[in-house]
Amino acid sequence: MSKPKGFEKPTGFRDYTPHVVSKLRTIERNVLECMERWGYRQIITPTIEYYDTVGVASSTSDRKLFKLLNSRGTTLVLRSDLTAPIARVVSSMLKDEQLPLRLSYHANVFRSIEEEAGREAEFFQTGVELVGDDSPEADAEVVALAIASLQAAGVSSFKIAMGHMGFLNGLLEEVIPGQTTEQEQLKEGLLGRDYVGYRQSIEALNLEPKLKEQLEAILRLRGGKEVCTHAVELSSSAEAAQSIAHLCAVFEVLEAYGVSEHVLIDLTMIGDFSYYTGMTFEGYAAELGSPVCSGGRYDNLLQQFGRSLPATGFALKTNRIIDGVHGITIEEKKPVLIQYSPKRRAEALTEAARLRSLGQNVVTLLLPEDGVGASAVSAGATTVQAEQVITYGSEEGGR
């Protein structure tokens, strides 16, 4: 293996230039302030966790975890999401706090990727977790907050696709009861948006036409509130009926929030079916084909840390917003340039401190010993793109 060159970095990792950092920090600040206005308090968890706790509980597949060993030979992981670490904290340090808990975060996460995939191995997420409330109101709150957060991040044109794991589980168990492997295969097709493969899996089941139509009909269950009526007619499963009732109740709350125009019901939207237990959703910006946020209900996670509580939440995929959405424009704030001769250094630096205390950005520049004519001022001005140039020259020349 060849030695990397001095300017190279590992595949999947990136450098953030000052302009991109400004955009990232603006999005971070705007979104976290938005979440705070909704009552969510920010939490920070370690970059490294134990594999046997957070790593195992994570929704990230094992092969995508970055693993390392500490000096005692214990396997650690770089965090691959924030939900599992927060579940650990809720089950320990926050176990005496009143429920429901509303927590927010902004952090970098790590997922191992194939080199040819062209995806990032380190990226940023900004999100929330609402713990201890299993009501439609709670699910609607996180969807409404996701909408507000996307708007705070500068995403002006987007749609939220909202589904429910329970409906699909109920339908599959009704049509092909007990056939776990076949059910998982159909879910994989929907999860990967491989509708051709989904139909092929249905054909391979050799079902009677009525049952085959039931499974194919889910592909058409996409739209507004009317989808709830069609879904109820499609399945007689009690689980499916309860799930649709919950989803319709969520939609009604979103109507009360005044944000239902951004939401469509899509019963093929199942999220990570090994992780989510109820309502799931994804947000798509007009500029991008891949989701800019995702979330849903995960009622089984906290019991892995010894505390059985319902929970729901979402995460913005902040890097996709930075790179693919043009809603936030960062105007570079030019500094004041104070340039000075050696003899007037104290005056100049005192003035720089005064202006900084007033909130000004100030850059200082030492001028040459041999005078401060127009050419020196010009040279200093071109060194720094300044909003204003203040010169402290020779004692004779004054300010």
Side-chain angles (χ1 to χ4, degrees):
M1 184 176 178
S2 61
K3 184 179 178 181
K5 298 178 181 177
F7 55 81
E8 288 184 317
K9 56 191 179 296
T11 301
F13 294 85
R14 67 185 284 187
D15 299 307
Y16 291 83
T17 59
H19 179 75
V20 178
V21 171
S22 294
K23 190 173 182 180
L24 172 65
R25 295 305 180 207
T26 299
I27 291 173
E28 174 191 2
R29 181 176 62 252
N30 291 351
V31 172
L32 287 174
E33 286 177 355
C34 172
M35 292 169 174
E36 186 177 7
R37 289 193 292 272
W38 285 61
Y40 288 76
R41 298 173 296 159
Q42 190 175 357
I43 186 171
I44 297 175
T45 64
T47 305
I48 296 176
E49 297 271 4
Y50 283 117
Y51 170 74
D52 287 335
T53 56
V54 167
V56 172
S58 169
S59 63
T60 307
S61 63
D62 195 75
R63 64 184 177 83
K64 291 185 177 180
L65 296 174
F66 277 102
K67 300 175 186 176
L68 56 156
L69 297 176
N70 65 11
S71 58
R72 296 187 301 275
T74 306
T75 304
L76 309 173
V77 292
L78 296 178
R79 63 183 174 217
S80 62
D81 62 38
L82 271 294
T83 303
I86 289 174
R88 174 183 56 74
V89 176
V90 168
S91 300
S92 54
M93 298 175 68
L94 300 180
K95 63 183 179 181
D96 295 325
E97 291 214 10
Q98 185 176 350
L99 298 175
L101 280 170
R102 290 175 170 85
L103 301 170
S104 65
Y105 60 83
H106 174 84
N108 54 341
V109 297
F110 305 84
R111 294 178 191 170
S112 179
I113 49 99
E114 298 294 334
E115 291 196 6
E116 64 272 14
R119 302 179 69 178
E120 292 186 327
E122 179 188 19
F123 50 94
F124 288 89
Q125 288 186 340
T126 313
V128 302
E129 311 297 347
L130 173 52
V131 180
D133 189 341
D134 62 358
S135 69
E137 296 282 337
D139 283 333
E141 179 177 312
V142 297
V143 174
L145 178 52
I147 291 169
S149 298
L150 285 171
Q151 292 169 334
V155 185
S156 57
S157 180
F158 59 88
K159 279 288 183 185
I160 301 288
M162 186 172 67
H164 199 293
M165 276 302 307
F167 176 78
L168 182 62
N169 288 337
L171 176 64
L172 292 178
E173 191 57 31
E174 177 185 2
V175 176
I176 49 173
Q179 299 183 47
T180 307
T181 301
E182 289 77 6
Q183 290 181 16
E184 297 291 305
Q185 189 173 7
L186 289 168
K187 289 178 183 178
E188 287 283 1
L190 294 178
L191 180 62
R193 300 295 190 186
D194 180 9
Y195 301 138
V196 173
Y198 177 77
R199 288 191 173 96
Q200 289 173 344
S201 297
I202 294 174
E203 290 292 339
L205 294 171
N206 294 317
L207 299 171
E208 60 181 80
K210 181 182 178 182
L211 297 178
K212 176 182 172 183
E213 170 57 25
Q214 271 186 280
L215 295 181
E216 289 186 342
I218 196 172
L219 299 177
R220 299 190 291 274
L221 293 179
R222 193 169 188 269
K225 200 174 180 180
E226 71 282 355
V227 170
C228 295
T229 303
H230 300 321
V232 169
E233 295 170 351
L234 181 62
S235 173
S236 59
S237 159
E239 182 180 5
Q242 291 170 2
S243 301
I244 286 302
H246 183 97
L247 197 61
C248 290
V250 172
F251 195 87
E252 288 174 0
V253 179
L254 292 172
E255 288 179 319
Y257 273 112
V259 297
S260 60
E261 67 188 75
H262 297 289
V263 182
L264 59 88
I265 295 175
D266 180 358
L267 291 179
T268 68
M269 224 303 299
I270 62 172
D272 183 344
F273 58 82
S274 66
Y275 183 73
Y276 291 113
T277 58
M279 182 274 298
T280 64
F281 67 95
E282 288 182 341
Y284 292 85
E287 299 99 317
L288 294 172
S290 52
V292 290
C293 78
S294 61
R297 179 161 291 282
Y298 52 96
D299 287 345
N300 296 334
L301 176 63
L302 274 92
Q303 67 187 23
Q304 297 185 52
F305 296 96
R307 192 178 187 192
S308 184
L309 287 173
T312 184
F314 73 88
L316 297 191
K317 301 179 186 299
T318 316
N319 283 59
R320 290 180 185 173
I321 296 173
I322 293 170
D323 296 332
V325 180
H326 307 296
I328 286 185
T329 302
I330 303 297
E331 291 187 12
E332 296 290 346
K333 185 178 180 182
K334 294 180 180 179
V336 172
L337 172 63
I338 295 182
Q339 50 188 8
Y340 55 89
S341 64
K343 291 182 179 180
R344 305 194 62 189
R345 178 185 288 114
E347 287 179 75
L349 298 184
T350 299
E351 177 64 5
R354 185 186 73 83
L355 292 176
R356 287 170 182 145
S357 71
L358 298 175
Q360 287 270 22
N361 296 345
V362 181
V363 173
T364 59
L365 177 69
L366 176 65
L367 292 170
E369 288 269 16
D370 55 352
V372 230
S375 59
V377 174
S378 175
T382 56
T383 301
V384 177
Q385 294 297 313
E387 180 183 72
Q388 180 186 3
V389 179
I390 300 174
T391 303
Y392 285 82
S394 64
E395 291 180 321
E396 298 76 23
R399 181 173 172 179

